Amino acid sequence: MSSVRSDLRQRRAALESEWARWVPELREARRVLEGEAPLRREVADSWVRSLHTVDPGAASAPVTDGGEVRPRWADSPLRRPVIDLADELNSIADDAGFVAGVTDESGTLLWTCGGRVMRRRAERVNFAPGGRWDEQAMGTNALSLALRTGRPSAVFSAEHLVAALHGWACYCAPIHAPDGRILGVLDLSTTWDRSHPLAMSTVRTLVSTIETRLRADLGDHRGSGTAAVPGPPAGVRLTCLGAEEAERGGVRLRLRPRQLEILTLLALEPAGFTSERLRDALYGERPVTASTFKAEVSHLRRALGGGVATRRYALTTPVECDAVEVLRALAAGDTDGALARYRGPLLPQSEAPGIEAWREHLEVAVREAALASPVPDHALVYGERVPHDAEIHEHALRVLPAGDPRRALAAGRLSTALRD
């Protein structure tokens, strides 16, 4: 019995020691959020989010797909413009003591270059093809911030959440498709003692060149008259909030409910799905044959003119989606825009597990934005759509000024909700 107690005491001591290692980081994040420390707000916010999923003591970035990303790189629209610039990127990286990298939209590195010494140093933290550098996987870093904000970002030394990156300085800019989607990020990284004030402008210039070549590639494919790059005609619009329809050029696409679910999931998760994960999102534990599942995806692909990738299920063509626009508005702090676009639950008739999860996420996010807003119109607009939500109507009464005639409307709604 004494040996068991001794073992438990040792385990407890080890856990307390492990926790104590990261107390300073938590305290520092709190100090920044309260305005007591000089760290940039976006970095501090990222620390707080990251600490839920990332160990600051991690030695390196986790690996995606076992590190085998050559098929993804081969299919990436970034491959051709980046390879065209490879000599210039190699020259810049080698001469200045940097390592360069390109990710996809999920934050997975697909391609790197640089001098032998810097590449070896980078590989120690898995800054190499297959490494995951999104915020959920690797915490606060320039790649994750650029992906999250859609803007160029630099992170220096101890601004990184993971201590193994404190010797690095990183400069990134997102690469946008002609339709505005983020396709990935270009990164230039070096050790902190080699950081250079022109690194960010260099990244911006290189990304501008890549984006120009992407537009040129799109023009070449449209003008060639060939089927080299399959894709649907422009103008695909998906309406999935309070409705269930998709159209192209003003003509409604004939899609069955399951195909609309697939299209919605792909629009909401541009990084795509493995076959197994997409099946789970659609059917859950229901027994469905592989041929049935593949037939649904194939029908959608034909309806879109080939706009769904085959190796990993993902959209290869832009699809405007009202749910995505709501999420984008919320991320930008645009409550007006989010409420204007949120016209009801996501695919209200769907029982697919993946759709149900996204439906709840959207409902909670929009509701919390309305409750957090001091603007009376936000609570009133949202309250019209949720007549039984007493808390929303109470919030409307709190933020409406005395004498505002709309207080009667909010009070009436609250009375009805409380009776129900």
Side-chain angles (χ1 to χ4, degrees), residues 67-79:
E68 179 50 65
V69 293
R70 283 177 294 183
R72 294 169 72 170
W73 181 230
D75 289 342
S76 171
L78 297 178
R79 184 177 182 276

Side-chain angles (χ1 to χ4, degrees), residues 7 25 40 58 122 132 137 141-142 161 176 179 186 254 278 299 330 340 344 351 360 410-411:
D7 182 52
E25 278 81 359
R40 289 179 291 151
R132 276 189 59 195
N141 63 85
L161 176 77
H176 293 89
D179 65 354
L186 173 66
R254 295 183 179 180
L278 184 56
H299 185 98
L330 289 172
E351 296 181 355
E360 182 179 1

Side-chain angles (χ1 to χ4, degrees), residues 63 98 118 131-132 140-141 164 188 194 204 234 241 279 293 323 382 385:
V63 174
F98 281 71
M118 286 305 297
R132 276 189 59 195
T140 309
N141 63 85
L188 283 180
R194 289 175 175 264
R204 288 174 182 264
L241 294 175
R279 284 183 65 178
F293 166 66
Y382 186 69
R385 295 174 186 147

Side-chain angles (χ1 to χ4, degrees), residues 20 49 65 84 200 203 224 276 280 284 377-378 382 404:
R49 290 190 302 267
D65 295 337
D84 286 347
M200 182 56 80
V203 168
S224 66
E276 181 180 3
D280 287 344
D377 286 345
H378 294 161
Y382 186 69
D404 192 310

Side-chain angles (χ1 to χ4, degrees), residues 101-115:
V102 174
T103 76
D104 63 10
E105 70 278 6
S106 73
T108 298
L109 273 168
L110 301 180
W111 180 88
T112 60
C113 73

Side-chain angles (χ1 to χ4, degrees), residues 323-347:
V324 174
E325 291 166 356
V326 168
L327 292 170
R328 193 176 295 145
L330 289 172
D334 179 12
T335 305
D336 276 333
L339 288 171
R341 293 171 175 84
Y342 186 75
R343 291 179 290 275
L346 181 74
L347 296 184

Side-chain angles (χ1 to χ4, degrees), residues 33-55:
L33 291 172
E34 294 173 353
E36 300 174 7
L39 198 64
R40 289 179 291 151
R41 179 63 183 245
E42 66 177 356
V43 172
D45 287 345
S46 177
W47 280 7
V48 174
R49 290 190 302 267
S50 302
L51 283 166
H52 292 290
T53 59
V54 179
D55 177 5

